[in-house]
Amino acid sequence: MTHTPRVQHALEVARRRWPDANPSSLIADGFAEWAQQFEAAEAEKARLLRERRLSVAGMFTGVYQPGYIEEVREGWE
């Protein structure tokens, strides 16, 4: 891997967490840590979305009378 300034910085940060690891291990451990954090963030995003959906579920029950959509569709013909 080419040691660009960004990669070098990432290795220096990883070395603070895993001081005795070699560069290959730092990269592997860093990617594994990143993957865990990414998955946790995705799970939290999904949880919040479910929570928002549940908060509005049923909010408009009774707004439209039974048969309303059929009447609207009849007007389309």
Side-chain angles (χ1 to χ4, degrees):
M1 177 175 273
T2 304
H3 286 261
T4 64
R6 289 173 60 191
V7 170
Q8 188 60 43
H9 174 73
L11 288 170
E12 289 167 5
V13 171
R15 184 155 312 281
R16 292 195 303 254
R17 183 168 184 128
W18 300 289
D20 298 325
N22 62 46
S24 294
S25 293
L26 290 174
I27 292 168
D29 293 343
F31 270 112
E33 181 84 13
W34 170 78
Q36 284 181 327
Q37 291 176 5
F38 188 77
E39 287 174 332
E42 283 182 320
E44 178 64 7
K45 184 178 175 181
R47 185 192 68 77
L48 288 172
L49 185 57
R50 274 192 310 277
E51 190 176 284
R52 287 179 191 145
R53 285 180 181 147
L54 288 174
S55 75
V56 297
M59 187 179 281
F60 299 104
T61 300
V63 172
Y64 297 102
Q65 299 302 316
Y68 170 79
I69 194 68
E70 287 79 13
E71 290 177 24
V72 171
R73 287 182 181 147
E74 286 175 12
W76 292 345
E77 296 173 355

